[in-house]
Amino acid sequence: QVLLAESGGGLAHPGGSLRLSCVASERTFWSYSVGWFRQAPGKEREFVAGISSTGLNTNYADSVKGRFIISRDNTKKTVYLQMNSLKPEDAAVYYCAATAGWVRTVPTPYDYWGQGTQVTVSS
């Protein structure tokens, strides 16, 4: 069982930045791939970014490519999502999720999910 806890959400102005963190409870977290997903009201949960267990491979949704950066520090059992140049359409609840397999861009293969952190982008 891997427990995940997101933090770092909040209010940002358009063009601003936020850094989300996802901290895991499990010491073998280094063996899991991690994805960030988001869900806005009335919309389906969508893939944002993913990172392999080693951190060597990353994947981004086209909508955030060039603005968001995913990274991880396995010594701290933490995955980060640096969000820059935020847009109003980035507003959503952001979730991190872990899977023992490869990074996937759909929610189904992920076995463990955090509770989410709210990101609001507004002037």
Side-chain angles (χ1 to χ4, degrees):
Q1 181 76 9
V2 179
L3 300 179
L4 302 174
E6 304 95 337
S7 63
L11 173 64
H13 296 301
S17 298
L18 286 173
R19 188 176 81 156
L20 306 184
S21 298
C22 171
V23 180
S25 62
E26 175 59 49
R27 62 183 176 85
T28 60
F29 182 63
W30 59 266
S31 65
Y32 290 84
S33 297
V34 174
W36 282 99
F37 290 78
R38 66 187 181 188
Q39 189 166 18
K43 295 188 176 181
E44 293 188 353
R45 191 166 297 190
E46 65 173 357
F47 174 79
V48 175
I51 189 165
S52 62
S53 58
T54 62
L56 294 179
N57 298 105
T58 58
N59 191 9
Y60 296 92
D62 288 342
S63 59
V64 306
K65 204 170 291 184
R67 300 189 297 122
F68 290 11
I69 301 171
I70 189 171
S71 61
R72 69 189 298 162
D73 184 343
N74 285 337
T75 65
K76 297 182 179 179
K77 298 180 290 183
T78 302
V79 172
Y80 304 97
L81 185 67
Q82 177 67 42
M83 305 188 297
N84 302 319
S85 302
L86 283 163
K87 303 176 180 180
E89 53 263 42
D90 294 319
V93 178
Y94 282 71
Y95 300 90
C96 65
T99 177
W102 299 105
V103 170
R104 301 293 296 276
T105 60
V106 292
T108 307
Y110 290 84
D111 302 303
Y112 307 103
W113 291 82
Q115 294 300 306
T117 185
Q118 177 72 52
V119 170
T120 303
V121 183
S122 174
S123 56

